[in-house]
Amino acid sequence: MDVERLLTNHTKVHYAGVNGINLPEAYNGLGARNLIFILLKLLEFFKAFLAQKTAPAVHLIFIEEPEVHLHPQMQEVFIAQLSQIAAEFSKTFNNGRPWPVQFVVTTHSSHMANKAPFDAMRYFLVKPDQSAAKLRSTEIKDLRAGLSGTPDLDFLHKYMTLTRCDLLFADKAVLIEGISERLLLPKMIEKIDEGQPKGQKLSSQYVSVVEVGGAYAHLFFPLLDFLELPTLVITDLDATKANAENKYVACKVSEGERTSNACIKAWFEPPQISPQELIKKSDLDKTDGILRLAYEVPESQGQPCARSFEAAFILVNPALFDLATPTENDAWEKAKEEGKSDFALYFAIKQTTWKVPRYIAEGLRWLAQLNRASETQAAASALDGGALPAPTQPAQATNV
């Protein structure tokens, strides 16, 4: 009996669609077919588990890169539904008795990684083997243990989920203040890359850009250290001075007594550091291993210093704003007139002949030329889930 010909000629599978339209199986996309295949394989593994005379204490199932052909929303649904699938199998086919299954999922999808909790992740980091030249080894980092006790961990995970952050899969990262920097950063990187050797061009490296604002950038430092991810933090000087009511309000840098920027205050000791002291800080002061802080500084000795990105952009490109010799007050007033998104879009799309502010140019060159101390590179992130705690020694993924 030719089973294949029998099934081909005498059976049809249709799936109910919208408005009562039934579509044949062949009309399913590769993503839907892949998902159906995975679900059927899971059911097959479950039935095989039930058929064993002596039930094992744990059932491990490895799923390699299930995101193939799945659109982003479906990826998130899939990873979130795995445990519910296991519960449904137990309810339907095993009278509600639990299935002691643990899924180990390897993925390069930031959508799946963001949907999984930190304590379910294993981060695979490729680095040179110090004991042998030109050889590499893989270090498996347990985010549950490595980030244990980290303050604001819930905030970090929620923020990464909301912003679709891909820090787990990047070679380097740039944390930025707001929308102006986000819109103009690709063009600034393009300008900095001009004339640079191929290996030192940021545009040829996998750089994750995360918009965090000045109030939250420092909360990422423990995670960035754990991931060993070279990172440039671009933020604003945010000078303030005390008013008649002894409340600190925004002011020009030359009048500033303190900074209101939470990231800068967390970086330096004491946190009440003045803008004048910040301007005098060296590159070494603004660098901590594979982390570097960048904030506004004068374009050259004796020149005025900006408080915000927009003001710094005006000071380095005065001709674009009909200014001959720009003063601090000129930049202050002009910056207040500009709408951030309109300002950034105009110079990102229409008027593209301009200079990059010094503090950003220096930071981007540092990041582009930085050789990680151990030449580490994130290769993949493994997610594990299910009803049981993670194994003490997680298995290495074969695709790392």
Side-chain angles (χ1 to χ4, degrees):
M1 183 172 63
D2 190 336
V3 176
E4 182 178 354
R5 188 177 63 178
L6 180 67
L7 291 175
T8 302
N9 294 338
H10 299 282
T11 64
K12 290 183 179 179
V13 179
H14 285 77
Y15 294 92
V18 296
N19 299 325
I21 299 175
N22 293 330
L23 297 176
E25 185 179 22
Y27 278 47
N28 277 329
L30 291 176
R33 296 185 192 187
N34 189 40
L35 190 59
I36 292 169
F37 172 77
I38 292 175
L39 292 175
L40 291 175
K41 290 299 292 185
L42 293 180
L43 181 58
E44 177 187 338
F45 294 149
F46 177 69
K47 292 293 185 71
F49 173 82
L50 294 180
Q52 297 187 54
K53 293 182 178 179
T54 303
V58 63
H59 191 185
L60 280 175
I61 295 179
F62 292 81
I63 307 175
E64 183 175 7
E65 299 185 6
E67 67 268 20
V68 176
H69 305 303
L70 293 180
H71 60 74
Q73 291 82 3
M74 186 61 75
Q75 294 174 28
E76 294 179 7
V77 170
F78 173 79
I79 200 69
Q81 293 288 326
L82 265 181
S83 59
Q84 295 186 36
I85 291 169
E88 188 64 29
F89 284 174
S90 298
K91 177 183 175 182
T92 305
F93 303 108
N94 200 26
N95 297 320
R97 288 191 292 272
W99 178 21
V101 65
Q102 181 171 343
F103 299 104
V104 180
V105 182
T106 63
T107 182
H108 289 88
S109 167
S110 59
H111 298 279
M112 286 194 175
N114 289 337
K115 203 66 177 177
F118 276 141
D119 61 4
M121 293 188 192
R122 300 296 180 270
Y123 181 74
F124 288 67
L125 194 65
V126 176
K127 55 175 61 176
D129 190 337
Q130 302 298 329
S131 62
K134 297 184 179 181
L135 293 180
R136 290 178 175 268
S137 61
T138 300
E139 179 182 353
I140 305 175
K141 288 175 168 278
D142 183 345
L143 272 75
R144 183 200 327 237
L147 296 178
S148 176
T150 300
D152 303 303
L153 197 58
D154 287 341
F155 165 84
L156 278 178
H157 188 260
K158 290 176 182 177
Y159 192 96
M160 291 174 68
T161 301
L162 291 172
T163 58
R164 296 294 179 265
C165 182
D166 59 350
L167 286 176
L168 295 173
F169 302 94
D171 293 331
K172 298 178 180 179
V174 180
L175 306 189
I176 56 175
E177 181 87 7
I179 190 171
S180 295
E181 293 92 328
R182 177 168 59 83
L183 292 174
L184 283 171
L185 190 63
K187 198 66 182 176
M188 289 191 282
I189 290 176
E190 180 183 319
K191 290 178 178 292
I192 296 300
D193 280 350
E194 291 178 1
Q196 295 295 322
K198 185 177 181 181
Q200 295 181 4
K201 290 186 177 184
L202 271 180
S203 56
S204 63
Q205 303 174 43
Y206 188 2
V207 180
S208 176
V209 179
V210 187
E211 186 178 334
V212 294
Y216 302 115
H218 60 289
L219 302 182
F220 283 79
F221 291 169
L223 176 62
L224 296 169
D225 284 335
F226 177 78
L227 299 179
E228 301 181 36
L229 187 64
T231 303
L232 172 67
V233 182
I234 300 175
T235 192
D236 286 340
L237 198 53
D238 291 336
T240 60
K241 66 177 180 180
N243 61 12
E245 300 174 353
N246 203 31
K247 293 182 179 178
Y248 283 87
V249 296
C251 68
K252 301 168 190 173
V253 173
S254 61
E255 302 170 356
E257 300 168 4
R258 294 184 182 180
T259 174
S260 63
N261 189 289
C263 178
I264 294 178
K265 290 193 286 186
W267 187 281
F268 293 105
E269 295 288 345
Q272 292 81 16
I273 190 169
S274 70
Q276 288 71 32
E277 291 175 295
L278 288 172
I279 291 173
K280 295 177 183 178
K281 292 294 184 181
S282 66
D283 291 344
L284 188 60
D285 295 326
K286 292 182 278 189
T287 305
D288 182 10
I290 55 175
L291 296 179
R292 179 177 169 120
L293 187 64
Y295 51 78
E296 290 83 5
V297 294
E299 290 300 316
S300 59
Q301 185 109 17
Q303 295 296 310
C305 181
R307 182 185 190 273
S308 65
F309 167 75
E310 289 79 11
F313 191 92
I314 292 168
L315 286 174
V316 76
N317 298 286
L320 298 177
F321 300 90
D322 298 323
L323 298 173
T325 306
T327 64
E328 182 183 25
N329 188 66
D330 291 332
W332 171 268
E333 294 299 332
K334 283 280 188 182
K336 288 196 296 185
E337 297 173 4
E338 301 288 347
K340 288 182 177 293
S341 57
D342 292 340
F343 174 92
L345 284 170
Y346 176 77
F347 290 106
I349 300 173
K350 291 187 176 181
Q351 171 56 271
T352 58
T353 304
W354 40 263
K355 297 178 182 178
V356 180
R358 174 188 162 192
Y359 73 104
I360 296 180
E362 290 177 347
L364 291 176
R365 291 191 184 100
W366 171 85
L367 187 64
Q369 298 173 9
L370 179 67
N371 292 319
R372 299 167 81 164
S374 58
E375 290 293 329
T376 56
Q377 180 181 6
S381 178
L383 312 179
D384 67 90
L388 299 181
T392 304
Q393 297 293 334
Q396 292 194 24
T398 56
N399 64 334
V400 172

